[in-house]
Amino acid sequence: MEGREQNVGLGGEKMARSGGGGLFRIQRRSCNWAAMRQRQSVAVSSAAETDRTQNPIPSKSDPQQKKAQSFDFLGSSKKVFALCFAFRIANALLVQTYFNPDEHWQALEVAHRITFGYGHLTWEWEKGIRSYLHPLLFALLYKLLAVLGLDTPWFMVRAPRLFQSFFSAFGDLYLYKLSVILFGHCVAKWALFSQLTNWFMFYCLTRTLSNSLETVLTLVSLYYWPCMRPSSSKLPLESRKWGLIIAALACAIRPTSAIIWLYVGLLELFVTRDKLRFIFLEIAPMGLLVLGVTFLLDRLMYGSWVLVPLNFLKFNFLSAGGDYYGTHKWHWYFTQGFTVMMFSFLPFSVAGIMQSKHWKLSGLIAWVLGLYSVLGHKEFSRFVLPVLPIALIFSGHSLAALRTTISANARGKESSNIHRTCPAKMQVAIFFLLATNIPMALYMSLVHQRGTEDVTYYLSKEVLDGKVTNILFLMPCHATPYYATVHHNLPMRFLDCSPREEKGIPDESDHFMIDPVGFASEFAKNWSLPSHIVLFDSEEKLLKDFLISHSFKEIKRFFHAHFKVDRDLQASVVVYGFMGN
């Protein structure tokens, strides 16, 4: 299929469109202005026009066509992937801030324990609601680093996100390929532009969250589903099987991905002719195969039989265990979460949905946002990350339509605007999107909440010099990376926040936040004296006398944030060291 798509792209498959009251033909690569200029400058008879339709491949000797080919640098899947991979590598290196604890505690920390034999497993692993499938990917990476002797502080911090950038580039590639199938090459280029410049995709996609890999698998799988393609598009039966396998992998990594595939599966069931074959010879075997493999894998890693999807369903849906970490209003994803993710792309996406009238794909967005809105516990948008690229495809559609509209309106007029590479309205749209998203992406990736990443990286280097022997994190639980970054098997302690059986009972982390001085004083009676204590400046102000009285002195201070997120402002992270008696 991939080779066939490349031939279509290079051959210039034509589409008939109406503009300005007349019928004109443009290639799927219609956003190539050099080729359009060539067509406009030649008077063509009706017979010649028919011949051009039947033989769309232009002469290689044509200088205008050579210029067009040189401009179309996204002519093949390999070129698209190379561009996206280079971009995501730079993206991964620029992401230096802390976003969500799961990036470290549910992926890297588990992988570090698998590879090196030490690392903390949170309560989710005790309850068996997480699969080892995702952490094992990074365990293989850690093993490779260890064999090559590259498990140094820099590589332990950077390598996982660089590894994720490889998968992210595949997500970008398949967004492009899916857009080509749905709307053509011109829309695909602008969809890719939207994907690469959207601030939240830049901020989140190269992080080691299971949501990031789920997003990539979603894009790859959607490409292979016949029901998501135009009705005239023919697809081999084997393609749907690939879509099923990849969708099952996405569900194995994140059981909530089933929300997406329930919609797609029902849609496919509605349009397919042989429904019994689809259910019993495709869905059942593929689903059982992936479920069985992950079941055996988890049996090996857990040491007992654990059915992760069932445990996940019981905790998060049947008992509403996720509500322990906070709830939001039902409309939160529509009014805040997804809106902030889309940011300045939102009006373009809405316009693209209305222009394209592709209700199956836009319905998937509404379906996912609607079902997640029913759940009480909502996190800042990473749960709905898999449908963000779909919304950005529609943004690409509206951008391409804007350019095509300008071209159609200018057709037949003696104006130099026809020959401009990018018309004024397009320039304004591009400038607006770049000016709003690039500063946001850089600020969130390089500045906001970077202190907790910096302090753990600093401690990892101090450990190598023998200056750190025991660390106490007096801050809200899971606020920093842990053994996966420190990468040394020394005593460390953080404040626990595991869900309680009885609701309303504060956990250890809550007790500390309510009364830092009282908690620290009581805690110090039975502690193993740490060599270093890490805390936020907001609690340091209250604990300074306590720290001094126990012979601790400030060693290092790291900037963290300019504004508060869900608690009081945590402007900096402070490291105190024990000075002795």
Side-chain angles (χ1 to χ4, degrees):
M1 288 299 294
E2 182 175 322
R4 182 167 175 255
E5 287 165 25
Q6 293 175 12
N7 292 335
V8 169
L10 294 174
E13 179 184 341
K14 297 182 179 180
M15 298 183 296
R17 296 185 183 176
S18 60
L23 184 67
F24 67 99
R25 295 184 180 277
I26 59 174
Q27 293 181 343
R28 184 167 285 182
R29 295 165 54 198
S30 59
C31 58
N32 188 317
W33 288 91
M36 188 182 71
R37 180 180 178 184
Q38 176 191 356
R39 292 195 299 273
Q40 290 174 341
S41 63
V42 180
V44 185
S45 64
S46 59
E49 180 68 21
T50 302
D51 181 70
R52 189 158 68 98
T53 303
Q54 296 173 350
N55 301 280
I57 302 176
S59 171
K60 292 183 179 180
S61 62
D62 192 328
Q64 288 289 348
Q65 182 61 25
K66 288 182 178 179
K67 182 179 179 182
Q69 288 177 350
S70 64
F71 178 78
D72 187 14
F73 58 92
L74 296 180
S76 70
S77 294
K78 290 182 179 179
K79 291 181 180 179
V80 174
F81 179 76
L83 170 68
C84 295
F85 190 31
F87 179 85
R88 291 303 176 191
I89 288 175
N91 185 176
L93 292 173
L94 286 172
V95 173
Q96 301 175 23
T97 54
Y98 197 82
F99 171 36
N100 187 278
D102 284 8
E103 178 182 6
H104 297 281
W105 294 81
Q106 305 301 344
L108 302 184
E109 193 68 16
V110 182
H112 192 278
R113 184 184 180 92
I114 294 170
T115 306
F116 299 103
Y118 61 97
H120 183 83
L121 295 182
T122 61
W123 61 269
E124 288 97 331
W125 299 92
E126 296 176 3
K127 290 183 176 292
I129 65 173
R130 297 276 184 174
S131 174
Y132 276 92
L133 183 61
H134 183 238
L136 274 173
L137 294 173
F138 297 98
L140 294 174
L141 173 66
Y142 282 149
K143 187 64 177 179
L144 179 63
L145 293 178
V147 170
L148 297 176
L150 295 176
D151 53 331
T152 61
W154 191 91
F155 277 101
M156 293 300 292
V157 170
R158 300 294 181 205
R161 286 174 181 165
L162 289 171
F163 185 47
Q164 176 62 33
S165 69
F166 176 76
F167 298 109
S168 301
F170 267 103
D172 298 332
L173 170 63
Y174 275 87
L175 173 132
Y176 178 83
K177 294 176 71 170
L178 179 62
S179 302
V180 169
I181 293 298
L182 295 176
F183 304 119
H185 283 273
C186 185
V187 171
K189 293 171 186 177
W190 288 107
L192 184 61
F193 165 83
S194 302
Q195 168 93 341
L196 297 181
T197 56
N198 174 263
W199 81 271
F200 196 79
M201 293 303 293
F202 187 93
Y203 177 63
C204 196
L205 197 59
T206 58
R207 295 182 183 273
T208 54
L209 293 160
S210 59
N211 310 86
S212 300
L213 186 57
E214 177 196 10
T215 301
V216 172
L217 293 174
T218 299
L219 287 168
V220 176
S221 184
L222 285 175
Y223 173 79
Y224 289 105
W225 281 87
C227 67
M228 304 310 295
R229 297 186 173 219
S231 57
S232 59
S233 177
K234 294 182 179 180
L235 199 63
L237 186 62
E238 291 75 15
S239 177
R240 187 167 67 187
K241 295 179 180 178
W242 279 111
L244 277 166
I245 291 175
I246 299 169
L249 283 173
C251 293
I253 289 172
R254 281 201 65 81
T256 50
S257 192
I259 292 174
I260 294 174
W261 303 115
L262 177 62
Y263 174 93
V264 177
L266 289 174
L267 189 62
E268 183 69 23
L269 182 64
F270 179 76
V271 300
T272 191
R273 293 180 179 178
D274 196 341
K275 293 178 171 52
L276 292 179
R277 175 187 175 87
F278 176 57
I279 295 173
F280 294 105
L281 297 181
E282 293 183 40
I283 291 180
M286 300 298 175
L288 289 174
L289 173 64
V290 174
L291 179 63
V293 171
T294 54
F295 189 40
L296 292 174
L297 178 66
D298 289 330
R299 168 66 178 85
L300 176 66
M301 301 305 299
Y302 274 106
S304 60
W305 294 107
V306 176
L307 191 57
V308 170
L310 180 60
N311 294 337
F312 187 93
L313 178 67
K314 287 180 178 179
F315 181 82
N316 287 286
F317 293 92
L318 301 182
S319 65
D323 293 356
Y324 180 81
Y325 292 104
T327 59
H328 294 81
K329 297 291 186 181
W330 68 267
H331 55 75
W332 187 82
Y333 281 121
F334 293 98
T335 58
Q336 297 181 55
F338 199 68
T339 303
V340 172
M341 293 167 68
M342 289 299 299
F343 202 40
S344 54
F345 281 97
L346 181 61
F348 294 92
S349 294
V350 173
I353 290 172
M354 302 306 295
Q355 291 165 356
S356 69
K357 295 180 172 27
H358 198 299
W359 306 121
K360 290 187 294 185
L361 200 58
S362 57
L364 176 58
I365 301 173
W367 167 267
V368 171
L369 294 180
L371 284 190
Y372 270 109
S373 296
V374 174
L375 302 178
H377 176 59
K378 302 174 180 65
E379 292 190 17
F380 182 64
S381 307
R382 67 187 182 92
F383 288 168
V384 295
L385 182 64
V387 295
L388 177 58
I390 299 172
L392 293 174
I393 290 177
F394 288 112
S395 174
H397 187 284
S398 66
L399 288 171
L402 175 62
R403 193 167 196 175
T404 304
T405 302
I406 294 171
S407 171
N409 292 336
R411 184 174 176 82
K413 296 181 181 179
E414 295 295 331
S415 172
S416 60
N417 287 338
I418 295 178
H419 309 305
R420 293 180 62 181
T421 303
C422 190
K425 288 185 179 180
M426 280 298 299
Q427 290 181 2
V428 171
I430 294 170
F431 176 79
F432 170 69
L433 291 171
L434 294 179
T436 49
N437 281 272
I438 290 178
M440 184 78 159
L442 293 177
Y443 178 79
M444 296 298 292
S445 300
L446 288 169
V447 180
H448 182 60
Q449 295 191 136
R450 69 168 298 147
T452 51
E453 295 263 343
D454 289 341
V455 70
T456 319
Y457 180 50
Y458 162 78
L459 290 170
S460 70
K461 293 185 292 184
E462 292 291 288
V463 167
L464 291 178
D465 296 333
K467 298 178 181 178
V468 178
T469 58
N470 189 318
I471 306 172
L472 171 63
F473 293 91
L474 277 181
M475 52 204 333
C477 67
H478 306 143
T480 67
Y482 212 50
Y483 280 110
T485 297
V486 174
H487 191 48
H488 196 85
N489 194 10
L490 75 165
M492 295 202 297
R493 176 76 157 82
F494 70 95
L495 305 183
D496 181 64
C497 59
S498 302
R500 299 293 188 265
E501 295 294 334
E502 298 181 15
K503 296 182 178 180
I505 299 178
D507 55 41
E508 194 175 52
S509 182
D510 291 331
H511 277 300
F512 173 72
M513 298 304 295
I514 294 170
D515 182 14
V517 177
F519 178 88
S521 300
E522 189 65 27
F523 186 80
K525 294 178 180 179
N526 299 306
W527 70 6
S528 175
L529 188 66
S531 64
H532 291 74
I533 294 178
V534 182
L535 68 167
F536 286 117
D537 64 316
S538 52
E539 282 69 52
E540 179 213 12
K541 297 172 184 176
L542 302 174
L543 291 172
K544 198 162 189 176
D545 291 339
F546 167 83
L547 293 169
I548 293 174
S549 66
H550 285 78
S551 302
F552 283 90
K553 180 182 178 181
E554 179 183 335
I555 295 177
K556 196 80 173 178
R557 185 177 295 262
F558 298 90
F559 166 80
H560 186 62
H562 288 114
F563 53 89
K564 65 180 181 179
V565 180
D566 54 355
R567 298 182 176 91
D568 293 336
L569 175 62
Q570 298 164 337
S572 59
V573 179
V574 192
V575 180
Y576 274 77
F578 181 67
M579 296 293 104
N581 296 323

